[in-house]
Amino acid sequence: MLDRFLLEALGPGDAVQFLFENGFDGVDKAHTLIRRMHFTDASVTDTEPADALICGDEEAAYGDQAYYTHARHARLKQAGIKDRLMHRPNKHHPLTPRQKQHNRLISKVRAAVERPFAVFKQCYGMRRLRFFNLATNRTQCVLAGCGYNLQRAAAVLFPVRKPG
């Protein structure tokens, strides 16, 4: 799924993208396991790395209005990936009621994949990155992603069963 926090959500044959400031993650939709991470410096706009984040094994690519372009739509269609990017209006072409409904449905899926970022910020104290160079910040984020995946994998493999 593509978003201001770029995460790839969903698993193989079922993946999505999201954007993490200038770091990009891939996340499994069913278990919210991070599949991959990618980082750029602050001079790169959010939409530039979007095409590079599409692996090809995704079922669908989700993203907010900033990521929708006709060229990206055509590339996704050619690759057999469902285009779930939110439509954006412009002053000459307002959104139709169908496009507005499409955007509302997509936002529900995108919201569910924001979980890793909430954990990074709330549990790992990563509201702000502490270092001033890309390599060190990349290392910190990758280690946080590994910790998050270990925690999620344990929860998936050994679910807590409620007595009763």
Side-chain angles (χ1 to χ4, degrees):
M1 283 192 196
L2 303 169
D3 194 356
R4 178 69 186 133
F5 290 102
L6 188 67
L7 274 178
E8 186 180 300
L10 308 177
D14 195 28
V16 179
Q17 313 288 332
F18 279 94
L19 172 77
F20 178 60
E21 292 285 328
N22 286 348
F24 304 87
D25 298 349
V27 178
D28 171 82
K29 180 184 177 187
H31 306 108
T32 64
L33 291 171
I34 297 172
R35 293 179 62 201
R36 66 185 167 145
M37 301 175 105
H38 175 72
F39 301 89
T40 63
D41 61 38
S43 66
V44 178
T45 65
D46 295 349
T47 60
E48 285 182 45
D51 292 327
L53 291 169
I54 309 246
C55 297
D57 65 349
E58 297 89 350
E59 182 178 298
Y62 289 79
D64 67 15
Q65 296 173 355
Y67 297 97
Y68 186 83
T69 65
H70 295 294
R72 187 167 289 130
H73 172 77
R75 282 192 295 273
L76 291 171
K77 188 172 184 176
Q78 183 181 12
I81 299 170
K82 294 177 186 172
D83 179 359
R84 298 292 187 253
L85 303 174
M86 295 178 82
H87 295 281
R88 82 174 144 199
N90 66 38
K91 63 182 178 180
H92 303 294
H93 302 284
L95 292 179
T96 65
R98 183 174 182 192
Q99 289 173 324
K100 289 179 183 178
Q101 175 68 17
H102 180 259
N103 287 354
R104 276 192 294 277
L105 294 172
I106 289 170
S107 67
K108 292 177 185 177
V109 175
R110 288 179 47 239
V113 186
E114 296 285 341
R115 178 186 169 100
F117 299 110
V119 171
F120 284 1
K121 290 177 178 182
Q122 293 172 0
C123 300
Y124 300 162
M126 294 180 65
R127 289 189 187 281
R128 293 194 177 147
L129 296 175
R130 307 203 186 291
F131 307 104
F132 291 104
N133 66 38
L134 183 61
T136 310
N137 284 328
R138 178 185 299 132
T139 302
Q140 180 187 13
C141 290
V142 168
L143 290 173
C146 290
Y148 175 82
N149 275 355
L150 288 171
Q151 181 183 22
R152 288 298 307 142
V156 169
L157 294 173
F158 307 104
V160 176
R161 303 209 193 293
K162 295 180 182 177

